[in-house]
Amino acid sequence: MSLTVQNLTRRFGQTEVLRGIDLEVKSGELVALLGPSGSGKTTLLKIIAGLDWPDAGRLVVGGEDWLDKKAQERRTGFVFQHYALFPHMKVRDNIAFGLTVMDRAHRPAPATIAKKVEELLHFLQIPHLADRYPAELSGGQRQRVALGRALAIDPAVLLLDEPFGALDAQVRRDLRRWLREVHDKAGTTTIFVTHDQEEAFELADRVVVMGAGLIEQIGSADQIYDHPASPFVARFLGLTVEIPVTMRAGRAEAAGLDTSALPRRAMADGPATLFLRPADITLLPSPEGAFRVTEIATTGALLRLRMEGPADCQAEAELPRRAAPALSLGQTVTLRPEVGHIFPGSPTPAQPAPAPAPVSLIKESSR
Amino acid sequence: MTSASLPASAKRSKRVLPGFGLTMGVTLTYLGVIVLLPVIALVLKGAEIGPARFWAIATAPRTLAALQLTLTAAAMATVFNAIYGVLMAWVLVRYNFPGRRLLDALVDIPFALPTAVAGLALSALFAANGWYGAILEPMGIQVVFTIWGVAAAMAFTSIPFVIRTVQPVLEDLDPQYEEAARTLGAHPFTIFRRVVFPAIFPALLVGITLSFARSLGEFGAVIFIAGNLPFKTEIASLLAVIRLEEYDYNGAAVIALTLLIIALVLLAISNILQARALRYRGKTG
Ligand SMILES: Nc1ncnc2c1ncn2[C@@H]1O[C@H](COP(=O)(O)OP(=O)(O)OP(=O)(O)O)[C@@H](O)[C@H]1O
Ligand SMILES: [Mg+2]
């Protein structure tokens, strides 16, 4: 079912956790809420599920005003980060729970429930786990059971709060693919929360980037990756190097910067900020270079360098160790950005990116 | 390193903390002297009597009446405590209201109060001219000198057991279970019955067992309100005292031993039920 959120606001005491959220999710769509810790993702999900209430705003699902409905009446499938499986019930009974608690008039017959549970167990590829207790399952298996329990009630919307947060990288990747398949087969409108951009980009039809209670950008993986809408999104996507520049005739200029690789922009002349990924910077050793190497670290495959430029500007670069030019501490270099984004205005005083993701992850962004 | 020395070093490395031998020794000795020895003495005393004689004393009409009263009243008190205790624990954990901390402190009063004081206070309240008695008596409900009085005194002195065992479990219960149940369509009472209650049940069982055991042995608070009429409101432990005063040591020992056996059987049942209720924790524990 389609879902519309309008101007949703939520305050906890003085702090505004959601500051006017507007969001449209089409029927059958898989949307990722991506944002750093504390940006209000869980709060938004809980409001949609009816576990929390907004101070203002509207929430309409399938044409019905959901703020008029209690959690019990909404039929949302909520998958909690730590699964929240009922520990004293077997897998089978956990999955059946939502069906067995329906009021008598709507509750299916026991045989029908059993059949449906059996179908779900097969659908989720866990029929052999039916008679185990949650304590006897691995994290990935619990995740599947939690999803089964949520799907059993034929939810109007499926809400997943960091569904793979507590799993190791390999299981995450497997389950991610599997979740996409499950979604495509079940066709349920799905919103899932994550702070892992690789996960969001790979899995979702559309990604909603949230920062501090506001939606910063909505778009496909490629749109967001290629055209971050704000400095916040740029930082969040790993463009953590910020260099003050001056725009002149569509070109960014700054001392010690060779911007010949960057295309011209239709931007007014004046001060601006260039956002770069450390991996997208080429270093050209030069006696006149305005940047001085202050730190060199190696991660084995990569060489990570810190540099100090004019006016305390800090930059960071990352390059394959094999291809790196001979560099030493104290050496001066010129920076040559290969790709970058420019936003008007001076850099905001050192506000570090909330969750700088590993650069290696950003590369494989297409699904 | 030889293969024989391996197990020894492995064994040694298990003891992470020092002083295990000493602390364990002290604990066991103390437990033996204070708890086990008296129980053994009691059992030996009983064995001395011989089964036929034991049976004859235990089934004498006055003893039987006392045991029956004690068990029935203790059961009544425990049922009341189980329900009220869960309710009280729920209120203390789930709601925030002015005076909550005071109420929480009040829960321990039955333990802190000398039982004789509790007994006196209760009999004053329930007497025909007392605050409660003045209301109940005209309605034809007599509490003082009846089994109701016995049960009331037992309930009063053992209520903290249920509250204090259930309360911490409720506090630790992750609200996500209830939230999950709500999104799945369960209404409050169903959530309590199917999600919350199974979680607190093992703790409740412990509280119930302790409450019942304490009620079986409660003496000070009961004798004031019971009236202690033989065959009617005379509790087992009081009868044991009476036997002792009559220099009938065997009679006293039989009653004491019977109470002990009942308590032990109960404890065993409670443990089995608990183990079954906690099956779901799985082998990993
Ligand atoms: N019940 C509450 N009372 C007060 N503040 C709260 C409450 N719940 C959440 N908050 C605050 O709201 C903000 C957003 O919380 P929320 O859980 O929605 O973040 P999130 O985006 O899900 O973060 P994470 O990725 O860490 O889960 C946080 O600053 C948090 O401290
Ligand atoms: Mg969260």
Side-chain angles (χ1 to χ4, degrees):
Chain A
M1 249 174 262
S2 67
L3 178 146
T4 309
V5 169
Q6 272 173 12
N7 195 29
L8 214 62
T9 310
R10 177 72 170 111
R11 259 179 243 106
F12 287 112
Q14 288 298 323
T15 40
E16 277 204 309
V17 172
L18 297 180
R19 302 185 288 161
I21 299 283
D22 289 294
L23 179 63
E24 291 263 0
V25 180
K26 288 192 283 288
S27 187
E29 201 177 13
L30 178 54
V31 166
L33 284 183
L34 175 66
S37 191
S39 54
K41 306 181 299 287
T42 300
T43 307
L44 177 56
L45 226 53
K46 283 196 160 183
I47 289 175
I48 296 174
L51 299 173
D52 193 9
W53 297 87
D55 294 302
R58 273 161 56 78
L59 169 64
V60 178
V61 178
E64 286 179 293
D65 182 358
W66 266 21
L67 293 180
D68 273 351
K69 288 186 167 193
K70 283 194 260 180
Q72 284 93 341
E73 297 158 352
R74 294 189 188 185
R75 281 201 304 119
T76 54
F78 203 114
V79 176
F80 292 80
Q81 179 173 359
H82 297 287
Y83 325 121
L85 295 174
F86 305 125
H88 59 282
M89 292 181 204
K90 292 182 175 169
V91 165
R92 191 188 292 288
D93 301 321
N94 260 290
I95 294 180
F97 185 87
L99 300 171
T100 55
V101 299
M102 292 172 114
D103 58 55
R104 268 213 190 81
H106 300 96
R107 193 191 310 158
T112 318
I113 294 180
K115 190 160 158 279
K116 171 127 196 190
V117 169
E118 212 59 49
E119 279 169 17
L120 273 167
L121 286 167
H122 278 98
F123 182 54
L124 303 171
Q125 299 151 15
I126 46 172
H128 55 292
L129 304 177
D131 291 307
R132 294 217 202 151
Y133 287 103
E136 299 165 337
L137 303 178
S138 74
Q141 292 168 335
R142 281 178 212 180
Q143 190 59 66
R144 288 171 189 245
V145 177
L147 189 58
R149 184 177 68 176
L151 285 174
I153 58 171
D154 288 325
V157 264
L158 190 58
L159 305 169
L160 304 109
D161 193 359
E162 301 195 29
F164 314 125
L167 304 171
D168 70 53
Q170 182 56 44
V171 180
R172 276 176 97 111
R173 235 161 294 156
D174 291 347
L175 276 182
R176 200 184 293 165
R177 225 155 283 147
W178 169 84
L179 177 65
R180 181 72 218 189
E181 279 169 32
V182 167
H183 170 267
D184 290 345
K185 273 191 237 166
T188 315
T189 309
T190 303
I191 302 178
F192 83 97
V193 162
T194 178
H195 51 234
D196 176 343
Q197 44 179 298
E198 189 198 17
E199 194 164 285
F201 287 160
E202 183 179 335
L203 194 49
D205 296 324
R206 277 192 310 153
V207 175
V208 177
V209 184
M210 275 182 77
L214 283 174
I215 290 181
E216 295 277 344
Q217 189 171 4
I218 303 180
S220 70
D222 294 350
Q223 279 167 0
I224 293 180
Y225 188 84
D226 293 342
H227 307 285
S230 66
F232 174 89
V233 179
R235 275 185 214 115
F236 188 68
L237 294 186
L239 293 105
T240 50
V241 177
E242 295 174 37
I243 299 173
V245 293
T246 312
M247 294 306 293
R248 199 158 298 151
R251 281 213 177 278
E253 290 177 5
L257 215 58
D258 170 4
T259 54
S260 55
L262 298 179
R264 280 176 190 276
R265 316 263 156 138
M267 262 175 85
D269 288 359
T273 308
L274 175 61
F275 285 77
L276 301 166
R277 284 193 180 81
D280 294 339
I281 301 175
T282 306
L283 298 182
L284 308 168
S286 123
E288 302 94 66
F291 284 83
R292 207 165 47 81
V293 178
T294 57
E295 205 181 304
I296 304 180
T298 168
T299 64
L302 291 177
L303 212 55
R304 201 166 279 154
L305 297 109
R306 282 191 154 281
M307 285 141 301
E308 207 175 84
D312 276 350
C313 171
Q314 298 280 334
E316 202 180 329
E318 232 174 35
L319 46 161
R321 199 153 60 99
R322 271 183 300 139
L327 288 163
S328 55
L329 281 180
Q331 188 170 3
T332 51
V333 290
T334 298
L335 307 190
R336 193 184 125 101
E338 306 299 337
V339 218
H341 291 280
I342 302 169
F343 293 100
S346 312
T348 41
Q351 200 199 25
V359 176
S360 59
L361 294 182
I362 309 168
K363 290 249 150 183
E364 19 176 310
S365 68
S366 56
R367 183 167 54 70
Chain B
M1 197 181 259
T2 63
S3 60
S5 71
L6 265 176
S9 66
K11 206 184 233 169
R12 189 190 249 162
S13 67
K14 261 187 198 160
R15 288 206 186 137
V16 182
L17 294 173
F20 174 73
L22 181 68
T23 49
M24 189 68 183
V26 170
T27 320
L28 281 184
T29 311
Y30 183 83
L31 194 73
V33 171
I34 296 292
V35 180
L36 219 55
L37 223 56
V39 171
I40 291 173
L42 187 60
V43 172
L44 287 180
K45 185 82 199 158
E48 211 172 82
I49 299 167
R53 177 104 185 81
F54 188 106
W55 186 250
I57 299 175
T59 53
R62 187 166 169 192
T63 322
L64 220 50
L67 285 172
Q68 197 189 1
L69 171 82
T70 310
L71 283 172
T72 317
M76 287 160 60
T78 305
V79 168
F80 175 82
N81 279 353
I83 297 167
Y84 177 75
V86 169
L87 210 67
M88 184 75 176
W90 182 265
V91 169
L92 285 176
V93 172
R94 289 305 168 100
Y95 303 104
N96 218 337
F97 50 93
R100 191 180 65 89
R101 292 169 66 102
L102 182 71
L103 195 65
D104 194 65
L106 283 179
V107 168
D108 289 324
I109 282 191
F111 278 177
L113 214 59
T115 51
V117 176
L120 276 171
L122 283 175
S123 29
L125 280 177
F126 282 108
N129 53 1
W131 290 350
Y132 299 166
I135 301 166
L136 293 173
E137 210 101 318
M139 293 161 66
I141 302 168
Q142 193 173 352
V143 174
V144 180
F145 305 153
T146 67
I147 189 169
W148 294 101
V150 178
M154 287 175 170
F156 177 84
T157 51
S158 60
I159 183 68
F161 281 118
V162 176
I163 301 175
R164 290 296 186 228
T165 47
V166 171
Q167 195 178 2
V169 180
L170 262 185
E171 258 160 17
D172 287 347
L173 190 66
D174 194 333
Q176 286 203 345
Y177 295 124
E178 286 154 79
E179 289 181 344
R182 265 163 69 199
T183 61
L184 291 165
H187 289 276
F189 184 70
T190 314
I191 295 177
F192 181 80
R193 190 169 57 83
R194 295 205 40 200
V195 177
V196 178
F197 189 75
I200 61 173
F201 180 66
L204 178 61
L205 213 54
V206 174
I208 286 177
T209 315
L210 291 176
S211 167
F212 191 82
R214 165 81 192 247
S215 296
L216 278 186
E218 184 49 47
F219 182 78
V222 176
I223 53 173
F224 288 94
I225 199 169
N228 311 320
L229 307 166
F231 296 100
K232 273 206 178 132
T233 57
E234 187 178 58
I235 55 168
S237 32
L238 178 65
L239 187 58
V241 173
I242 291 172
R243 290 293 184 242
L244 214 56
E245 280 171 347
E246 296 166 345
Y247 301 103
D248 178 3
Y249 292 118
N250 286 348
V254 167
I255 296 170
L257 208 52
T258 313
L259 286 179
L260 179 71
I261 291 167
I262 295 171
L264 285 181
V265 167
L266 219 81
L267 207 64
I269 295 175
S270 162
N271 272 317
I272 292 168
L273 287 178
Q274 261 183 75
R276 283 181 55 181
L278 290 173
R279 242 173 342 184
Y280 62 77
R281 287 198 182 161
K283 289 138 228 148
T284 50

